[in-house]
Amino acid sequence: MPPRRTPFAPSPRWARPPLAVVLCALLVVTAACSGDGDGSGDGDGGDAGQDAGDAGRSGADAPEGTVLGDGEEYQATIRRSAEGVPHITADDLAGLSFGQGWASGEDRTCDLADQVVKINGERSRWFGAGEEDANLASDLSWRAIGIRDRAEADWADASNEVRQLVTAYADGWNAHLAEVGADGIDEWCAGEEWVQPVEPVEVYAYARSIALQASSGAVSDLLGTAVPPTEARDDDAGAGAEPQAALTSLGTDDAPLASNGWAIGAERAAEGGGMLVANPHFPWEGELRFWEVHLTVPGELDIYGVQLSGLPGIGIGFTETFGWTHTVSAGNRFTAYSIDLVPGTPTSYRYGDEEREMTSEDVTVEVMGDDGELTEETRTLWSTHYGPVLDFPGVGWTAEQAITLRDANIDNDEFFEQYLAMMQADDLDEFIAIHRDVSGIPLFNTVATSADGRAWYADTSATPKLSDDALAAYETSLDADPLVAAAADAGAVLLDGSDPMFEWEEVDGARDPGLVPYDEMPVLERDDYVFNANDSFWMAHASELLAGDFSPLHGRQETPRSPRTRENATVLDDTTAAGPSGDDGAFSLDELAAAAVQNTGFTSRALREAVVERCRGAAPVTVAALLDDEEVEQLPAGTIDVTEACTVLDGWDGTYDLESVGPPVWRELMGRYSSDDLADAGGLWAEAFDPADPVATPSGLAPAPDEASDPLLENLARAVQILEAAGLAVDVPLGEVQVAERNGTLVPIHGGGSDDGTTNIVSWGGSGSILDPALRAIEREPVVDGSSLAVVTGSGADGTGYRINYGTSFMMALAFTDDGPEAQVFLTYANTSDRDAPAYLAATEAFSAKEWRAVAFTEDQVAEATETTTTVRG
């Protein structure tokens, strides 16, 4: 069997550094999302040990006041609520970070251990090459990205304070592992030999990998396996390939990271202090789950929020004076380059008037065989001066051309400083200044609010800086070059890498050479509200548009907004008595929380009545057979009566609550339209998008093209046919068919999908290797994408339905009041990853019932919420 990594000695005791230095390392940025806290809310109860997070941790059966671990380097107290949220207190930041590492190990041991294996490129070593060499491809991709090597080099130059804090976190995680052993973990990785002590630099490298979610990490499938073309490869790999189709792999439009972020200012807040809704749409499985925590050093630090499993600090949260959330930016975090190769030498490329040689590195990966023996696979990884070469056989690396990329976040080590300063800021002004002075945000919009009632939005994501000439040439190429247009449709920028004009421009004030400086980034502050729902910065408010001379790589202006963005704007801009903020037009905390899950769909809001008018009294509709991409019949031709479906839609209020009757019909109807149809006039909308009115347009239902056929009625008939094929009545309530499986229990889930246009998004999808049976000990549920019931056979309670494992994950409603911050939260899957734990199910059931959990933030609240207390030492 493979040898274990050599354990390392605990770090020496160190004097408490200044707060300004310490806070940065404690806060590591997470993926686009938002965070907040817990406290004295609903819980599953049970014995004290079970209530302590329910996760098979070493302290799970310990009585109150138990001391675990030994040593004199660190000490922290972990008080857990009934829901398992740890409130961690220590006398210094080293002890606090140690306590967080311990508590994180209690709840999510497997997540960090698994991610260390991934970013080290060691999946094949422990799990074998995998089905269709999936593990080997992952190893080669992460070796090609080189984040472990880069992090190791930066780690050597990091400040002592950063190194000490990350080391304290690793020491805490390792101390917990030593306490229980791999065999004592109640998770899917229990007893696995690869669950080993982590080195501090591995925690640091994993944190750095998170910053690549919208760049190298998003295209990792295309990295690590690129090889120079041979005659055989040209003949085989490119056969039948459509370049435009292949280039869509460059895009990140389908990446599952999304969010809503709302900041409410004094004008719309009932108590005058700022308010916030954090609503990240992230996976419910795998490494991109949030972990809820409260960190306190009395007199120095008091912050509540969430972090991704296995990372120190808090990525997003709130303090006594301000709170913030993130959403994933719609801008570009990398540029791809098509380079012209030198004839006869496919590893040389033209660059202006010169020729350049690609560089190569031989990488050896250990592979576990079926017999348990290790063998070695050596591959050559190729790079240009921009970055690694991508694997586009027959399209991207031929005898004439190759595709490579440059990543705006590959060298981003400033985010530690960014979050240090954000956490130590005394007020929103200091918080904003840090975005200007450090610019370490990797891929997020920031939406923030303050106790004094301000609402602030900015997209300070790392963005490539191109010259005006380069931007003009790129815009021209969008019309002239089908490959460039295809990449753009997928959300990627493809440039001519053989033309030096397209190099990133170096300007003063940028975080790193070649990036857009803060003064050229979009920012908006208001006293009513700002928001973002993953569309570009251009509409951070329903009426005050952020028009200006911003790079299109930051996101496009004057472009149609998604149905979800339009619904967010509609909810926030409504000050009528019937609106979510009530008679006074100002939100209370309860009203804000209710608005976040009111579940109205924008497409139904805008089009339902017109659809009903069109379908009322319609004759039976004839539909052709539905074929898949391989011309195999999925549904037969037939004549469908749409009368009952029309009646259902007529009686529906357009919401996606559990008892709602109508969402399945509407979802299947909207699912028949393309993304282009949803965005602008055409098959669905009658009136075109108007940049002067981006919330209300496009508008109206597109008329039937002629009397002989009506695409709307045909799509409605197909929706009825899909439901019938799935064995469902058209009047089935949403809660009976939209469910999340929690260890054998099917929990009904409210909310809608992207086509529905709700703010509360739930769906099937997400990333994380926990969904890959080749990489996990968990048996994957036999489910597929839930966008249409026609392809979901076998996924629900009776063989049909919409399975949910992605979407609203952590949700927080926060208000600054005269008595300080007050917050309500959901963590839809709980802190524990023990699927047998009652909290694992209870958290999802609480979300299902819209039973918000009050955050315990003050000392009195924490003391009242505490179920168990454990002191940990190391």
Side-chain angles (χ1 to χ4, degrees), residues 11-18 21-23 25 72-74 92-98 160-169 171:
S11 62
R13 175 183 295 277
W14 48 286
R16 185 169 69 192
V21 174
V22 151
L23 289 173
E72 299 180 354
E73 309 304 323
Y74 315 103
D92 54 44
L93 270 294
L96 192 68
S97 190
F98 176 85
N160 288 334
E161 289 79 10
V162 168
R163 290 164 55 89
Q164 288 166 333
L165 277 173
V166 176
T167 298
Y169 180 89
D171 285 348

PDB file of all heavy atoms in Angstrom, residues 11-18 21-23 25 72-74 92-98 160-169 171:
ATOM      1  N   SER A  11       3.379  23.248  15.712  1.00  0.00           N
ATOM      2  CA  SER A  11       4.120  24.504  15.694  1.00  0.00           C
ATOM      3  C   SER A  11       4.436  24.939  17.110  1.00  0.00           C
ATOM      4  O   SER A  11       3.739  24.602  18.062  1.00  0.00           O
ATOM      5  CB  SER A  11       3.283  25.574  15.007  1.00  0.00           C
ATOM      6  OG  SER A  11       2.091  25.782  15.736  1.00  0.00           O
ATOM      7  N   PRO A  12       5.527  25.684  17.292  1.00  0.00           N
ATOM      8  CA  PRO A  12       5.867  26.163  18.631  1.00  0.00           C
ATOM      9  C   PRO A  12       4.873  27.208  19.109  1.00  0.00           C
ATOM     10  O   PRO A  12       4.161  27.825  18.319  1.00  0.00           O
ATOM     11  CB  PRO A  12       7.253  26.794  18.425  1.00  0.00           C
ATOM     12  CG  PRO A  12       7.269  27.200  16.984  1.00  0.00           C
ATOM     13  CD  PRO A  12       6.469  26.140  16.279  1.00  0.00           C
ATOM     14  N   ARG A  13       4.834  27.410  20.415  1.00  0.00           N
ATOM     15  CA  ARG A  13       4.000  28.480  20.958  1.00  0.00           C
ATOM     16  C   ARG A  13       4.484  29.806  20.393  1.00  0.00           C
ATOM     17  O   ARG A  13       5.668  30.024  20.198  1.00  0.00           O
ATOM     18  CB  ARG A  13       4.091  28.492  22.486  1.00  0.00           C
ATOM     19  CG  ARG A  13       3.341  29.682  23.122  1.00  0.00           C
ATOM     20  CD  ARG A  13       3.524  29.695  24.630  1.00  0.00           C
ATOM     21  NE  ARG A  13       2.898  28.532  25.222  1.00  0.00           N
ATOM     22  CZ  ARG A  13       1.606  28.473  25.506  1.00  0.00           C
ATOM     23  NH1 ARG A  13       0.813  29.487  25.247  1.00  0.00           N
ATOM     24  NH2 ARG A  13       1.102  27.390  26.057  1.00  0.00           N
ATOM     25  N   TRP A  14       3.538  30.675  20.137  1.00  0.00           N
ATOM     26  CA  TRP A  14       3.942  32.003  19.635  1.00  0.00           C
ATOM     27  C   TRP A  14       3.163  33.076  20.336  1.00  0.00           C
ATOM     28  O   TRP A  14       2.018  32.883  20.719  1.00  0.00           O
ATOM     29  CB  TRP A  14       3.795  32.099  18.117  1.00  0.00           C
ATOM     30  CG  TRP A  14       2.507  31.624  17.560  1.00  0.00           C
ATOM     31  CD1 TRP A  14       2.086  30.336  17.433  1.00  0.00           C
ATOM     32  CD2 TRP A  14       1.444  32.420  17.045  1.00  0.00           C
ATOM     33  NE1 TRP A  14       0.859  30.278  16.862  1.00  0.00           N
ATOM     34  CE2 TRP A  14       0.436  31.530  16.596  1.00  0.00           C
ATOM     35  CE3 TRP A  14       1.254  33.791  16.867  1.00  0.00           C
ATOM     36  CZ2 TRP A  14      -0.739  31.974  16.013  1.00  0.00           C
ATOM     37  CZ3 TRP A  14       0.084  34.226  16.288  1.00  0.00           C
ATOM     38  CH2 TRP A  14      -0.895  33.322  15.876  1.00  0.00           C
ATOM     39  N   ALA A  15       3.804  34.218  20.501  1.00  0.00           N
ATOM     40  CA  ALA A  15       3.162  35.334  21.192  1.00  0.00           C
ATOM     41  C   ALA A  15       2.006  35.847  20.357  1.00  0.00           C
ATOM     42  O   ALA A  15       2.031  35.779  19.137  1.00  0.00           O
ATOM     43  CB  ALA A  15       4.170  36.446  21.434  1.00  0.00           C
ATOM     44  N   ARG A  16       1.010  36.367  21.025  1.00  0.00           N
ATOM     45  CA  ARG A  16      -0.152  36.868  20.307  1.00  0.00           C
ATOM     46  C   ARG A  16       0.248  38.062  19.453  1.00  0.00           C
ATOM     47  O   ARG A  16       0.736  39.066  19.951  1.00  0.00           O
ATOM     48  CB  ARG A  16      -1.238  37.288  21.290  1.00  0.00           C
ATOM     49  CG  ARG A  16      -2.522  37.704  20.583  1.00  0.00           C
ATOM     50  CD  ARG A  16      -3.659  37.859  21.555  1.00  0.00           C
ATOM     51  NE  ARG A  16      -3.462  38.996  22.422  1.00  0.00           N
ATOM     52  CZ  ARG A  16      -4.183  39.227  23.516  1.00  0.00           C
ATOM     53  NH1 ARG A  16      -5.084  38.371  23.887  1.00  0.00           N
ATOM     54  NH2 ARG A  16      -3.963  40.293  24.250  1.00  0.00           N
ATOM     55  N   PRO A  17       0.060  37.973  18.134  1.00  0.00           N
ATOM     56  CA  PRO A  17       0.425  39.085  17.267  1.00  0.00           C
ATOM     57  C   PRO A  17      -0.637  40.174  17.327  1.00  0.00           C
ATOM     58  O   PRO A  17      -1.719  39.971  17.854  1.00  0.00           O
ATOM     59  CB  PRO A  17       0.445  38.441  15.873  1.00  0.00           C
ATOM     60  CG  PRO A  17      -0.535  37.327  15.992  1.00  0.00           C
ATOM     61  CD  PRO A  17      -0.453  36.838  17.410  1.00  0.00           C
ATOM     62  N   PRO A  18      -0.345  41.330  16.761  1.00  0.00           N
ATOM     63  CA  PRO A  18      -1.353  42.403  16.723  1.00  0.00           C
ATOM     64  C   PRO A  18      -2.593  41.942  15.977  1.00  0.00           C
ATOM     65  O   PRO A  18      -2.503  41.178  15.017  1.00  0.00           O
ATOM     66  CB  PRO A  18      -0.633  43.538  15.972  1.00  0.00           C
ATOM     67  CG  PRO A  18       0.835  43.220  16.080  1.00  0.00           C
ATOM     68  CD  PRO A  18       0.922  41.735  16.171  1.00  0.00           C
ATOM     69  N   VAL A  21      -2.643  42.108  12.189  1.00  0.00           N
ATOM     70  CA  VAL A  21      -1.890  41.106  11.438  1.00  0.00           C
ATOM     71  C   VAL A  21      -2.620  39.782  11.446  1.00  0.00           C
ATOM     72  O   VAL A  21      -2.698  39.064  10.455  1.00  0.00           O
ATOM     73  CB  VAL A  21      -0.486  40.939  12.047  1.00  0.00           C
ATOM     74  CG1 VAL A  21       0.261  39.805  11.367  1.00  0.00           C
ATOM     75  CG2 VAL A  21       0.291  42.239  11.939  1.00  0.00           C
ATOM     76  N   VAL A  22      -3.185  39.462  12.591  1.00  0.00           N
ATOM     77  CA  VAL A  22      -3.746  38.140  12.777  1.00  0.00           C
ATOM     78  C   VAL A  22      -5.007  37.893  11.979  1.00  0.00           C
ATOM     79  O   VAL A  22      -5.249  36.809  11.478  1.00  0.00           O
ATOM     80  CB  VAL A  22      -4.037  37.962  14.267  1.00  0.00           C
ATOM     81  CG1 VAL A  22      -5.178  37.032  14.502  1.00  0.00           C
ATOM     82  CG2 VAL A  22      -2.792  37.461  14.954  1.00  0.00           C
ATOM     83  N   LEU A  23      -5.843  38.912  11.868  1.00  0.00           N
ATOM     84  CA  LEU A  23      -7.160  38.679  11.301  1.00  0.00           C
ATOM     85  C   LEU A  23      -7.102  38.231   9.862  1.00  0.00           C
ATOM     86  O   LEU A  23      -7.939  37.490   9.394  1.00  0.00           O
ATOM     87  CB  LEU A  23      -7.996  39.948  11.409  1.00  0.00           C
ATOM     88  CG  LEU A  23      -8.422  40.271  12.834  1.00  0.00           C
ATOM     89  CD1 LEU A  23      -9.090  41.625  12.870  1.00  0.00           C
ATOM     90  CD2 LEU A  23      -9.336  39.223  13.378  1.00  0.00           C
ATOM     91  N   ALA A  25      -5.082  36.226   8.219  1.00  0.00           N
ATOM     92  CA  ALA A  25      -4.902  34.815   7.958  1.00  0.00           C
ATOM     93  C   ALA A  25      -6.076  34.015   8.447  1.00  0.00           C
ATOM     94  O   ALA A  25      -6.333  32.927   7.964  1.00  0.00           O
ATOM     95  CB  ALA A  25      -3.644  34.315   8.644  1.00  0.00           C
ATOM     96  N   GLU A  72       0.460  22.311  25.370  1.00  0.00           N
ATOM     97  CA  GLU A  72       0.433  23.652  25.930  1.00  0.00           C
ATOM     98  C   GLU A  72       0.551  24.733  24.867  1.00  0.00           C
ATOM     99  O   GLU A  72       0.758  25.897  25.190  1.00  0.00           O
ATOM    100  CB  GLU A  72       1.575  23.806  26.938  1.00  0.00           C
ATOM    101  CG  GLU A  72       1.478  22.829  28.109  1.00  0.00           C
ATOM    102  CD  GLU A  72       2.619  22.997  29.104  1.00  0.00           C
ATOM    103  OE1 GLU A  72       3.538  23.816  28.799  1.00  0.00           O
ATOM    104  OE2 GLU A  72       2.598  22.343  30.149  1.00  0.00           O
ATOM    105  N   GLU A  73       0.444  24.349  23.613  1.00  0.00           N
ATOM    106  CA  GLU A  73       0.581  25.339  22.547  1.00  0.00           C
ATOM    107  C   GLU A  73      -0.696  26.151  22.349  1.00  0.00           C
ATOM    108  O   GLU A  73      -0.641  27.355  22.116  1.00  0.00           O
ATOM    109  CB  GLU A  73       0.943  24.649  21.216  1.00  0.00           C
ATOM    110  CG  GLU A  73       2.111  23.692  21.292  1.00  0.00           C
ATOM    111  CD  GLU A  73       3.376  24.350  21.829  1.00  0.00           C
ATOM    112  OE1 GLU A  73       3.603  25.539  21.499  1.00  0.00           O
ATOM    113  OE2 GLU A  73       4.112  23.697  22.570  1.00  0.00           O
ATOM    114  N   TYR A  74      -1.839  25.468  22.417  1.00  0.00           N
ATOM    115  CA  TYR A  74      -3.108  26.119  22.114  1.00  0.00           C
ATOM    116  C   TYR A  74      -4.174  25.676  23.105  1.00  0.00           C
ATOM    117  O   TYR A  74      -4.122  24.574  23.666  1.00  0.00           O
ATOM    118  CB  TYR A  74      -3.617  25.736  20.729  1.00  0.00           C
ATOM    119  CG  TYR A  74      -2.618  25.741  19.612  1.00  0.00           C
ATOM    120  CD1 TYR A  74      -2.099  24.545  19.125  1.00  0.00           C
ATOM    121  CD2 TYR A  74      -2.229  26.933  19.005  1.00  0.00           C
ATOM    122  CE1 TYR A  74      -1.205  24.527  18.069  1.00  0.00           C
ATOM    123  CE2 TYR A  74      -1.348  26.933  17.949  1.00  0.00           C
ATOM    124  CZ  TYR A  74      -0.823  25.724  17.488  1.00  0.00           C
ATOM    125  OH  TYR A  74       0.052  25.727  16.440  1.00  0.00           O
ATOM    126  N   ASP A  92      -6.479  33.999  22.399  1.00  0.00           N
ATOM    127  CA  ASP A  92      -5.689  34.596  21.333  1.00  0.00           C
ATOM    128  C   ASP A  92      -6.092  33.957  20.016  1.00  0.00           C
ATOM    129  O   ASP A  92      -6.809  32.953  19.969  1.00  0.00           O
ATOM    130  CB  ASP A  92      -4.190  34.452  21.591  1.00  0.00           C
ATOM    131  CG  ASP A  92      -3.768  33.019  21.837  1.00  0.00           C
ATOM    132  OD1 ASP A  92      -4.225  32.120  21.095  1.00  0.00           O
ATOM    133  OD2 ASP A  92      -2.973  32.781  22.770  1.00  0.00           O
ATOM    134  N   LEU A  93      -5.608  34.540  18.936  1.00  0.00           N
ATOM    135  CA  LEU A  93      -6.005  34.076  17.619  1.00  0.00           C
ATOM    136  C   LEU A  93      -5.421  32.723  17.275  1.00  0.00           C
ATOM    137  O   LEU A  93      -6.019  31.956  16.515  1.00  0.00           O
ATOM    138  CB  LEU A  93      -5.619  35.115  16.567  1.00  0.00           C
ATOM    139  CG  LEU A  93      -6.671  36.182  16.251  1.00  0.00           C
ATOM    140  CD1 LEU A  93      -7.884  35.577  15.611  1.00  0.00           C
ATOM    141  CD2 LEU A  93      -7.042  36.991  17.480  1.00  0.00           C
ATOM    142  N   ALA A  94      -4.263  32.398  17.840  1.00  0.00           N
ATOM    143  CA  ALA A  94      -3.687  31.080  17.586  1.00  0.00           C
ATOM    144  C   ALA A  94      -4.587  29.999  18.170  1.00  0.00           C
ATOM    145  O   ALA A  94      -4.917  29.007  17.513  1.00  0.00           O
ATOM    146  CB  ALA A  94      -2.284  30.996  18.176  1.00  0.00           C
ATOM    147  N   GLY A  95      -5.001  30.204  19.407  1.00  0.00           N
ATOM    148  CA  GLY A  95      -5.906  29.235  20.020  1.00  0.00           C
ATOM    149  C   GLY A  95      -7.230  29.156  19.291  1.00  0.00           C
ATOM    150  O   GLY A  95      -7.806  28.075  19.138  1.00  0.00           O
ATOM    151  N   LEU A  96      -7.725  30.304  18.837  1.00  0.00           N
ATOM    152  CA  LEU A  96      -8.991  30.323  18.109  1.00  0.00           C
ATOM    153  C   LEU A  96      -8.883  29.521  16.808  1.00  0.00           C
ATOM    154  O   LEU A  96      -9.774  28.738  16.470  1.00  0.00           O
ATOM    155  CB  LEU A  96      -9.386  31.761  17.807  1.00  0.00           C
ATOM    156  CG  LEU A  96     -10.810  31.984  17.305  1.00  0.00           C
ATOM    157  CD1 LEU A  96     -11.831  31.686  18.393  1.00  0.00           C
ATOM    158  CD2 LEU A  96     -10.983  33.427  16.820  1.00  0.00           C
ATOM    159  N   SER A  97      -7.797  29.716  16.077  1.00  0.00           N
ATOM    160  CA  SER A  97      -7.614  28.991  14.827  1.00  0.00           C
ATOM    161  C   SER A  97      -7.440  27.501  15.086  1.00  0.00           C
ATOM    162  O   SER A  97      -7.959  26.666  14.340  1.00  0.00           O
ATOM    163  CB  SER A  97      -6.398  29.543  14.080  1.00  0.00           C
ATOM    164  OG  SER A  97      -6.321  29.028  12.778  1.00  0.00           O
ATOM    165  N   PHE A  98      -6.735  27.146  16.145  1.00  0.00           N
ATOM    166  CA  PHE A  98      -6.611  25.750  16.538  1.00  0.00           C
ATOM    167  C   PHE A  98      -7.989  25.165  16.836  1.00  0.00           C
ATOM    168  O   PHE A  98      -8.333  24.060  16.374  1.00  0.00           O
ATOM    169  CB  PHE A  98      -5.707  25.629  17.765  1.00  0.00           C
ATOM    170  CG  PHE A  98      -5.591  24.233  18.321  1.00  0.00           C
ATOM    171  CD1 PHE A  98      -4.667  23.349  17.806  1.00  0.00           C
ATOM    172  CD2 PHE A  98      -6.406  23.825  19.360  1.00  0.00           C
ATOM    173  CE1 PHE A  98      -4.549  22.057  18.320  1.00  0.00           C
ATOM    174  CE2 PHE A  98      -6.307  22.543  19.892  1.00  0.00           C
ATOM    175  CZ  PHE A  98      -5.379  21.653  19.366  1.00  0.00           C
ATOM    176  N   ASN A 160       5.111  35.693   8.937  1.00  0.00           N
ATOM    177  CA  ASN A 160       5.112  34.731  10.040  1.00  0.00           C
ATOM    178  C   ASN A 160       3.728  34.565  10.626  1.00  0.00           C
ATOM    179  O   ASN A 160       3.326  33.463  11.016  1.00  0.00           O
ATOM    180  CB  ASN A 160       6.093  35.180  11.129  1.00  0.00           C
ATOM    181  CG  ASN A 160       7.537  35.026  10.710  1.00  0.00           C
ATOM    182  OD1 ASN A 160       7.853  34.190   9.865  1.00  0.00           O
ATOM    183  ND2 ASN A 160       8.410  35.844  11.293  1.00  0.00           N
ATOM    184  N   GLU A 161       2.973  35.663  10.657  1.00  0.00           N
ATOM    185  CA  GLU A 161       1.651  35.603  11.266  1.00  0.00           C
ATOM    186  C   GLU A 161       0.710  34.717  10.446  1.00  0.00           C
ATOM    187  O   GLU A 161      -0.057  33.917  11.006  1.00  0.00           O
ATOM    188  CB  GLU A 161       1.074  37.020  11.378  1.00  0.00           C
ATOM    189  CG  GLU A 161       1.759  37.897  12.413  1.00  0.00           C
ATOM    190  CD  GLU A 161       3.081  38.458  11.913  1.00  0.00           C
ATOM    191  OE1 GLU A 161       3.371  38.324  10.693  1.00  0.00           O
ATOM    192  OE2 GLU A 161       3.837  39.033  12.724  1.00  0.00           O
ATOM    193  N   VAL A 162       0.758  34.855   9.111  1.00  0.00           N
ATOM    194  CA  VAL A 162      -0.062  34.005   8.257  1.00  0.00           C
ATOM    195  C   VAL A 162       0.339  32.551   8.419  1.00  0.00           C
ATOM    196  O   VAL A 162      -0.507  31.664   8.589  1.00  0.00           O
ATOM    197  CB  VAL A 162       0.061  34.442   6.787  1.00  0.00           C
ATOM    198  CG1 VAL A 162      -0.554  33.400   5.857  1.00  0.00           C
ATOM    199  CG2 VAL A 162      -0.609  35.792   6.575  1.00  0.00           C
ATOM    200  N   ARG A 163       1.615  32.300   8.389  1.00  0.00           N
ATOM    201  CA  ARG A 163       2.087  30.919   8.514  1.00  0.00           C
ATOM    202  C   ARG A 163       1.686  30.317   9.855  1.00  0.00           C
ATOM    203  O   ARG A 163       1.266  29.159   9.931  1.00  0.00           O
ATOM    204  CB  ARG A 163       3.613  30.880   8.354  1.00  0.00           C
ATOM    205  CG  ARG A 163       4.083  31.165   6.937  1.00  0.00           C
ATOM    206  CD  ARG A 163       5.571  31.499   6.895  1.00  0.00           C
ATOM    207  NE  ARG A 163       6.378  30.472   7.504  1.00  0.00           N
ATOM    208  CZ  ARG A 163       6.867  29.409   6.850  1.00  0.00           C
ATOM    209  NH1 ARG A 163       6.614  29.265   5.562  1.00  0.00           N
ATOM    210  NH2 ARG A 163       7.608  28.509   7.468  1.00  0.00           N
ATOM    211  N   GLN A 164       1.778  31.095  10.905  1.00  0.00           N
ATOM    212  CA  GLN A 164       1.461  30.582  12.229  1.00  0.00           C
ATOM    213  C   GLN A 164      -0.026  30.293  12.384  1.00  0.00           C
ATOM    214  O   GLN A 164      -0.427  29.290  12.984  1.00  0.00           O
ATOM    215  CB  GLN A 164       1.937  31.572  13.292  1.00  0.00           C
ATOM    216  CG  GLN A 164       3.459  31.591  13.418  1.00  0.00           C
ATOM    217  CD  GLN A 164       3.971  32.786  14.192  1.00  0.00           C
ATOM    218  OE1 GLN A 164       3.331  33.840  14.230  1.00  0.00           O
ATOM    219  NE2 GLN A 164       5.130  32.635  14.811  1.00  0.00           N
ATOM    220  N   LEU A 165      -0.865  31.173  11.827  1.00  0.00           N
ATOM    221  CA  LEU A 165      -2.301  30.961  11.961  1.00  0.00           C
ATOM    222  C   LEU A 165      -2.771  29.757  11.160  1.00  0.00           C
ATOM    223  O   LEU A 165      -3.578  28.962  11.639  1.00  0.00           O
ATOM    224  CB  LEU A 165      -3.066  32.217  11.543  1.00  0.00           C
ATOM    225  CG  LEU A 165      -3.181  33.277  12.638  1.00  0.00           C
ATOM    226  CD1 LEU A 165      -3.794  34.539  12.093  1.00  0.00           C
ATOM    227  CD2 LEU A 165      -4.002  32.745  13.796  1.00  0.00           C
ATOM    228  N   VAL A 166      -2.305  29.615   9.919  1.00  0.00           N
ATOM    229  CA  VAL A 166      -2.683  28.450   9.122  1.00  0.00           C
ATOM    230  C   VAL A 166      -2.151  27.182   9.777  1.00  0.00           C
ATOM    231  O   VAL A 166      -2.817  26.146   9.799  1.00  0.00           O
ATOM    232  CB  VAL A 166      -2.177  28.592   7.678  1.00  0.00           C
ATOM    233  CG1 VAL A 166      -2.482  27.334   6.874  1.00  0.00           C
ATOM    234  CG2 VAL A 166      -2.822  29.801   7.007  1.00  0.00           C
ATOM    235  N   THR A 167      -0.940  27.286  10.334  1.00  0.00           N
ATOM    236  CA  THR A 167      -0.379  26.133  11.038  1.00  0.00           C
ATOM    237  C   THR A 167      -1.226  25.767  12.250  1.00  0.00           C
ATOM    238  O   THR A 167      -1.469  24.581  12.519  1.00  0.00           O
ATOM    239  CB  THR A 167       1.062  26.424  11.478  1.00  0.00           C
ATOM    240  OG1 THR A 167       1.871  26.646  10.318  1.00  0.00           O
ATOM    241  CG2 THR A 167       1.640  25.264  12.271  1.00  0.00           C
ATOM    242  N   ALA A 168      -1.726  26.773  12.966  1.00  0.00           N
ATOM    243  CA  ALA A 168      -2.581  26.493  14.122  1.00  0.00           C
ATOM    244  C   ALA A 168      -3.849  25.762  13.696  1.00  0.00           C
ATOM    245  O   ALA A 168      -4.307  24.835  14.370  1.00  0.00           O
ATOM    246  CB  ALA A 168      -2.931  27.795  14.841  1.00  0.00           C
ATOM    247  N   TYR A 169      -4.424  26.177  12.578  1.00  0.00           N
ATOM    248  CA  TYR A 169      -5.624  25.497  12.073  1.00  0.00           C
ATOM    249  C   TYR A 169      -5.299  24.041  11.732  1.00  0.00           C
ATOM    250  O   TYR A 169      -6.038  23.116  12.128  1.00  0.00           O
ATOM    251  CB  TYR A 169      -6.151  26.224  10.838  1.00  0.00           C
ATOM    252  CG  TYR A 169      -7.393  25.606  10.246  1.00  0.00           C
ATOM    253  CD1 TYR A 169      -8.662  25.995  10.675  1.00  0.00           C
ATOM    254  CD2 TYR A 169      -7.316  24.626   9.267  1.00  0.00           C
ATOM    255  CE1 TYR A 169      -9.810  25.432  10.138  1.00  0.00           C
ATOM    256  CE2 TYR A 169      -8.458  24.054   8.724  1.00  0.00           C
ATOM    257  CZ  TYR A 169      -9.696  24.462   9.165  1.00  0.00           C
ATOM    258  OH  TYR A 169     -10.827  23.882   8.625  1.00  0.00           O
ATOM    259  N   ASP A 171      -2.886  22.254  12.905  1.00  0.00           N
ATOM    260  CA  ASP A 171      -2.614  21.541  14.151  1.00  0.00           C
ATOM    261  C   ASP A 171      -3.911  21.133  14.843  1.00  0.00           C
ATOM    262  O   ASP A 171      -4.005  20.036  15.416  1.00  0.00           O
ATOM    263  CB  ASP A 171      -1.792  22.430  15.090  1.00  0.00           C
ATOM    264  CG  ASP A 171      -0.329  22.541  14.671  1.00  0.00           C
ATOM    265  OD1 ASP A 171       0.103  21.768  13.795  1.00  0.00           O
ATOM    266  OD2 ASP A 171       0.373  23.410  15.218  1.00  0.00           O
TER     267      ASP A 171
END
